[in-house]
Each structure stands twice: as C-alpha cells, then as structure tokens.
Amino acid sequence: SSTPAASIVILMATLALAVIGGLAAAIGAVLIVGVISAVAVGIGVMLFPKLHILFGMVFSLVITGILEFFFYFGQANWLSSVIVAAMMLPALLRLLGMSTERHGISAFAVILITYVVGLLASSLINGIPVPQGIVGVRNYLPYIGVALLITYGGFEIGFVRKLIRALLLIALIQVPVAIYQHLVVGPARVAMRGAVGREDEAIVGTFGGSIVTGGYTGEMASFLVMVVMFVIALWRERQLKGWLAATLSITLLIPVLLPETKIALLLLPVLALIAFGSDIRKSPATALVGVMGVGLLMATVGGVYALKYWQSSDQAANQLFYSFDPDFMVTPDHRGRVGTIVHWYQTNVQDGQYVG
C-alpha cells in the first residue's frame, strides 16, 4: 500500500517521464525513448516490491553470470547492481510514510548507518581515487538495497518462504550448469592461450567470471552452502522431511565438489553454529543430529578434495588456512587478505601516516 508521500513522488516521476518521452518521440530521438522506456519499466517493477526483489534475485544470481561467462558481457554486472541497489527506493518511500515516534529507530538502522559511515570514513582516510570509489559504491549499494527492502518492505512471512524456495531453485540450477562446465568448458579452457590456473577454475555455475582467467567459484560455493543451511533449517522447523533435506543437501554439494573451494569447509561449521546454537539447550537431540549431518557434509567435501587435490595433511592444512597467513604473498606485489590488513595497519596507524 502506498503512503501519501510515496504516491506524490510516484505521480510526479510518472508525469515527468511521460512528458520527456513524448517530446523525445516527437523529434525521433530513439535512444532517449529507449532509455525512458527502460526507466518506466524499472519504476513499474519498483512499484511492486515483491516483483522487484524476485526479478533482482534472478537477474543478479543467474542472468548476469551467464552473460558475463558465456557471452563475455561483463557490463551486465553494472546493470545488476543498479537493479538491486534500486531496492532502496521503495524501501525509503515506505519509510517516508512511517511515524518515527511510533516505530522508533530500529537496531538494524543503527547498524546500517554505522556501516555506511564507516565506509565513507575509511574511504576519506585512505584517499581512494574517484574511479575506485565509484566501483566501491557499485559493489556496496546493492547490499544496502536488499537489506532495506527486506527489513522495511512489509513482506509477510509467506512471501519470505517463497523467497527461500526461489533461492533453492536458483541453487539447483547451478548443478547442471556446473556439470557442463566441468565436462565441456574446463577441458576446453586448458587449451586456451593465456588460461590461468587449473581447468576447475571454469566451474562457476551462473556466478560469472572469465573462462580464461577464472571465475567466481568461491561465490558459487558460498551461495550453495548458505542454501544447504536453509534446507537444514527447514528440516529443523519440520518444513521438510529428513530424506528430502538429505537429498537436496547432497545434490547442492555437487557443484562444490567439482572444483576446489575451501570456503565451503570454513563456512559449514560457522553456519551450523548459527542454525543449531539455540538448540544446544532447548533440544540437544536436534542439535546433535544437525551437527552430525553437517559434519558428514564436511567430511564428504574434505574427502573428495583430499583425493583430487591434496597429497598430504600438510598440504591440506596449507590450502585451508593460507588465507589467514599474514606473510602469504599471492605474487611478489600482491599480498594475501590478512597480509593486506596488516600492511594497512602498519602503514596508516602504526607509522602514523593515516593515508594509504
């Protein structure tokens, strides 16, 4: 339902688009008419937040990656970011009609404001270049858009369940795509000039990247592990039968088993703790079954990786934990994740320069 303030904004925007589009059509400006039409479609989607979030989910998690990986259209990432970041607009329009005296400021709003202020402060302190700042905005705004719309979109619990089912469907789409990439794209990639890494670098599902230089394998694995935990949580809430939850979990792990994605082994115990932490006291039996199930999944992933990629326990430990080594160097000029943080601290705080 639209608030009076939202209705006025929507009416003014519609009238403006109608006038500009009509004038552009009268003078034969095809490009302007196309842009106006796209904006009109976008506004139409935003008028229906449920449609918007479903469209954004499918476009960002399926269509964008396919366009980037198979059709070399990397600019699709920018369009995906715009679509998802635009989720802020319906959420903010809804907030305009809320009484702050009645609703107050939620803890989420405080966390979100702190997060944004932290991003701005760190960017100013580091004096990042304008192009890098634009890319950063493109990367971060979609997260804020999704968070705002989910929090303030007024969705009923039934629609949230539909979103989880949609995520499950998108996760299942990864299975045949990853198998095709394993059987066809990966072997063909080895013969390509300039190919970086092993052939399993091409197993990304619909999460995009480059066939030659590698794709977002870790992102695919993180998404699938998250959906597996949704499946386990649905079983925990008696929304799925045990055999169906087990079948779905094993099926969704297939794309994780094909390439080497260590993040899966690191995420599974963390998400299991979140999913079953409250059951340790309330229902120890449920917690025990859940932990054993997650342990079995971890053992399966670890066992397959040991057979395919790791020759010894030392190599396995190194592959799992090298990202946490502050002295690890990807290349002579490229530090690892923790090493980058340590270097920033030493340069900007310890040495008192405050400018990276």
Side-chain angles (χ1 to χ4, degrees):
S1 58
S2 299
T3 63
S7 299
I8 293 173
V9 172
I10 292 168
L11 177 61
M12 296 302 293
T14 303
L15 289 174
L17 284 175
V19 171
I20 297 172
L23 291 173
I27 63 175
V30 178
L31 179 59
I32 296 177
V33 173
V35 172
I36 294 296
S37 301
V39 172
V41 171
I43 291 177
V45 171
M46 288 186 291
L47 288 177
F48 302 94
K50 292 180 180 179
L51 176 62
H52 189 174
I53 199 165
L54 285 171
F55 178 71
M57 184 186 299
V58 172
F59 195 91
S60 59
L61 296 177
V62 179
I63 298 175
T64 297
I66 291 175
L67 290 174
E68 182 181 17
F69 191 80
F70 291 103
F71 298 95
Y72 305 98
F73 185 63
Q75 291 80 1
N77 278 309
W78 286 86
L79 181 57
S80 178
S81 295
V82 170
I83 292 171
V84 180
M87 292 179 185
M88 288 189 294
L89 298 180
L92 292 174
L93 289 175
R94 184 177 176 83
L95 282 172
L96 286 175
M98 289 185 178
S99 170
T100 54
E101 294 181 0
R102 183 179 63 187
H103 295 277
I105 299 177
S106 67
F108 170 77
V110 175
I111 294 172
L112 180 61
I113 292 171
T114 304
Y115 175 66
V116 174
V117 170
L119 289 176
L120 293 173
S122 62
S123 299
L124 292 173
I125 290 173
N126 284 281
I128 63 173
V130 173
Q132 184 179 345
I134 293 173
V135 173
V137 169
R138 195 267 289 185
N139 288 335
Y140 284 109
L141 278 184
Y143 296 107
I144 298 172
V146 172
L148 283 174
L149 190 58
I150 289 293
T151 305
Y152 299 111
F155 300 134
E156 63 275 7
I157 190 63
F159 179 70
V160 175
R161 292 195 182 101
K162 290 180 181 178
L163 286 180
I164 294 177
R165 293 192 189 100
L167 286 173
L168 177 57
L169 178 60
I170 292 173
L172 288 171
I173 291 173
Q174 308 306 311
V175 179
V177 177
I179 291 174
Y180 172 79
Q181 290 166 337
H182 173 67
L183 296 176
V184 179
V185 181
R189 178 181 183 272
V190 175
M192 292 181 179
R193 177 179 295 181
V196 178
R198 301 187 305 248
E199 62 182 54
D200 65 310
E201 297 285 346
I203 304 173
V204 298
T206 64
F207 279 75
S210 168
I211 294 179
V212 177
T213 58
Y216 305 124
T217 304
E219 284 79 353
M220 176 195 69
S222 300
F223 172 75
L224 289 171
V225 168
M226 178 191 71
V227 176
V228 166
M229 295 311 301
F230 276 144
V231 169
I232 295 175
L234 288 172
W235 164 80
R236 173 181 173 272
E237 298 296 325
R238 305 185 192 281
Q239 300 293 318
L240 281 180
K241 294 183 178 180
W243 68 267
L244 181 56
T247 302
L248 287 172
S249 298
I250 294 171
T251 302
L252 293 176
L253 280 183
I254 292 175
V256 178
L257 296 174
L258 295 177
E260 183 190 14
T261 52
K262 284 87 64 178
I263 187 65
L265 288 171
L266 300 176
L267 277 180
L268 276 170
V270 174
L271 295 178
L273 180 62
I274 295 173
F276 296 101
S278 62
D279 289 322
I280 295 176
R281 290 185 178 181
K282 296 179 181 178
S283 179
T286 301
L288 179 61
V289 173
V291 169
M292 289 176 62
V294 173
L296 180 61
L297 294 178
M298 291 180 63
T300 301
V301 175
V304 171
Y305 287 175
L307 291 173
K308 291 177 64 176
Y309 302 110
W310 304 335
Q311 306 301 320
S312 65
S313 58
D314 290 339
Q315 184 182 7
N318 179 67
Q319 288 294 94
L320 284 172
F321 300 112
Y322 73 86
S323 293
F324 302 98
D325 182 1
D327 298 320
F328 173 73
M329 300 290 289
V330 180
T331 68
D333 300 319
H334 183 191
R335 293 177 174 81
R337 297 177 181 89
V338 175
T340 300
I341 297 173
V342 171
H343 175 72
W344 183 92
Y345 175 81
Q346 292 173 341
T347 303
N348 296 282
V349 179
Q350 196 173 55
D351 296 341
Q353 296 179 18
Y354 299 104
V355 178

